Amino acid sequence: MTPEEEARVNIDKLLEASGWVIQDYKKINLSPSLGLGIAVREFPTLKGPADYMLFIKRKAVGVLEAKPEGHTLSSVTEQSERYLENFPEDIPHITPLRFAYESTGVETLFRDRLDINTRSRKIFSFHRPETLQEWMKEDDTLRNRMRKLPELITDGLRDAQVEAITNLEKSFSENRPRALIQMATGSGKTFTAINFSYRLIRHAKAKRILFLVDRGNLGKQTFKEFQAFNTPDDGRKFTELYNVQHLKSNTIDSTNNVVITTIQRLYSMLRGKEEFDESLEEEELSSSLAPKDEIEYNPLIPPEYFDFIVVDECHRSIYGVWRQVLEYFDASLIGLTATPAKPTFGFFDSNLVMEYSYDRAVADGVNVPFEVYRIKTKITNEGSVIEADSDFQIEYRNKQTRKSRWEQLDEEKSYGANELDRSVVSKDQIRTIIKTFKEKLYTEIFPARSEVPKTLVFAKDDNHAEEIVEIIKNVFGKGNDFCKKITYRTKENPDEILASFRTSYNPRIAVTVEMISTGTDVKPLECLLFLRDVKSRNHFEQMKGRGTRTIPSTDLKNVTPDNNHKTHFIIVDAVGVTESTKTDSRPLERQRTVSFKNILKSVALGKRDDDTLTTLAGRLAKLEQVLTNDNHKAIKEKAGKSLSKIVNDIFDSLDPDKITSLAIEKNIDEKEAKEELIEIACEPFDDPEFRELLETIKTDNELMIDDISVDEVLESGYSEEAKERAMGLVSSFKEYIEEHKDEIDALSIIYNQSYSKRHLTYEMIKELSEKLQKPPYLFTLPKLWHAYEQLESSKVKKAKPDALLTNIIQVIRFTLKQSEILRTFDEKVNENFEEFKKEKGLSIEQEELLEKIKDKIINNSSVEIEDLKSEPELLMNLYSSFGDKYKEVLEELNVRLVA
């Protein structure tokens, strides 16, 4: 056979698989009883015979031009066009003849001539006759309808989501088959996708959309979001108007408008498998799971079955052997990701329709910033040596069955840091890290807190996770509900545990390997503890993204009662993951010890280096999280733009792409362009009234098991920044006292030590405490007390500072150098009371009476006659013991015990 004859054999097979009946022109029989679609070979036209003319119900509808394998097809379109333009008028045909195919049997091109600016596209195989018949019944083509979408309803959409949908629809109107949306984790990619999916089904009359994920739990999450989605024009739920199916078997209901499934399951369906092992949907896509067989045509799921495919988390490894699943379909592809890799851009033809970075999301208040807290231990860094000892045996545990055996070492056994939790488990290494985490949790990591924040621990594998869970429960002294393992091997239902982790008080800590590492939404998370290193930048960014999401205050308080606002999250790095991985997003806080007021003043005075501007942007982004409506309005009135726009302008001034664009636009060098952008960004800070407004708002709002080696902490803290942070806090507190000593009554009395002129009352102390605790300062008692513990531990007594509201008196006195030792208020009052008793020579009855008064002073800072009227018996006994001098005694107690 000639090459063209071989090509026709392959083409015939493809046509027959697609439901076409093949005939020679000499034996033509167009009877519909033979089949809906008939492909006639060598059909004559006015410009010569067409290789195949396609008929449906006796009418010609299109042409197929065949070429030998290896022939480039782009030039063949003109030949197909000639046959279509010169079809005999006396033979029944649709007008115009729409459908044009060119094929080698290996490669096939198709175009619909009714499409505006029609162009050929590559397809896996020929469309079925039923498909072409449906298209002919429609008023217009899908690609033309995508050019006529109505104006987007923006209610309920963030600016970035509006931009993404608008740009995507513009890309559709240009007939671009692939588009990539890059949006930061937590910025609402799925919500965006549901919005444009709704518009494609309702307005573009898309028949069916495939939502493709690579993990089963992401499919469940997506299905719930479709169920919760309120349509913007109709008001009903999406699922009330259109059928949505989350595949749990290998059968698609043809009535569905949206189908959600994993790429793993879809591959098995295209291969004709009736059953699929659900556990494979929860495994990470890798070469070991990669399909061994190529996909072939499946008449139950033909290539035109879906009009659009949304590829969620499309940064992952689906472009090697997995890409054939996507390229099987004649559908527009929309990729969603927060972290695209280089192959991702290539796969989507570099058609990036939306780029919304983590920094932008922080600036817009869509994400929260993060800080890194580092824990280093000796075994983590160096490994260990187990000496041979006849008194000890070493445990060896089977990774699969977890069955243990014990063996005596004949010689010493050494292992390196890279063997930890792979071939060796050092329990004390894990225990030391968790102990340090617990010890520093309320003093340095979350100093103003009393509850364990929702924390996610990343483990290396399921065995490692099991060890971590048990050690966490032991170290914290908590029960099973406190810490849970959430992996695909969890015996309990992982979905139920995950739901509790999201919305219930317990578990406080979850340990995972991959199940919650990417895509999964847990908004209350405030802490990520890494006990595994991650080499992939993209994967680390995804894992880090678990903590970035914002959450309404009410929802946060429901699960974490001691926190009103999620302003940031903490990465606790116990393995050096932040040092070994190059990450695009970074902590915005660069000058932690500089007060907000001084940052503003520095910018106004012209200090506008990258670190200063990044720090300012980070502080303003945190402030954005706690602004009231009145605050937003006041800022916009004074600056002429929103705080979010101000932060974005700052980021623009640091963005190399923005700088380059301005330089090209204005024909200036990049240094000059950067200076111009910085000037625009910093213009509002020149106004002293605006700076004062921000300061005021900020003030008001703010697997050998090693049981023998003993690990030790080499370092814990925000690296070298721990003490700097404490110094910055104390410095800011001193500034606050100096600035407000004349306007807050309690501060004025303590500052001037004028206790005899005016008593400190409980109301005064409460007012002071409430003002100190407001964002952004958050000057809570525990936070201030622990700052002094870090800086002057020898002068600070261990205590639970928040046990008494009046302890704030002691902190202020220590700050003002009025006392040499920081101790609790009750200790100070008790000491003064002992001296008072010795000096006065009181009777037992009098001492007992004054003990009661003393206790009231401890709790309220003073006691007045009016206060005692609610306890008439105590007041009468006081008068009975001291006679007319009872008022003088009370007055002296109020002064002496507090002074």
Side-chain angles (χ1 to χ4, degrees), residues 22-53:
I22 301 172
Q23 296 177 356
D24 291 325
Y25 177 68
K26 292 179 181 179
K27 297 181 180 181
I28 190 169
N29 180 355
L30 298 179
S31 171
S33 63
L34 298 176
L36 178 64
I38 296 175
V40 181
R41 298 190 192 102
E42 300 298 329
F43 192 92
T45 72
L46 301 180
K47 292 291 184 178
D51 290 335
Y52 297 83
M53 189 62 68

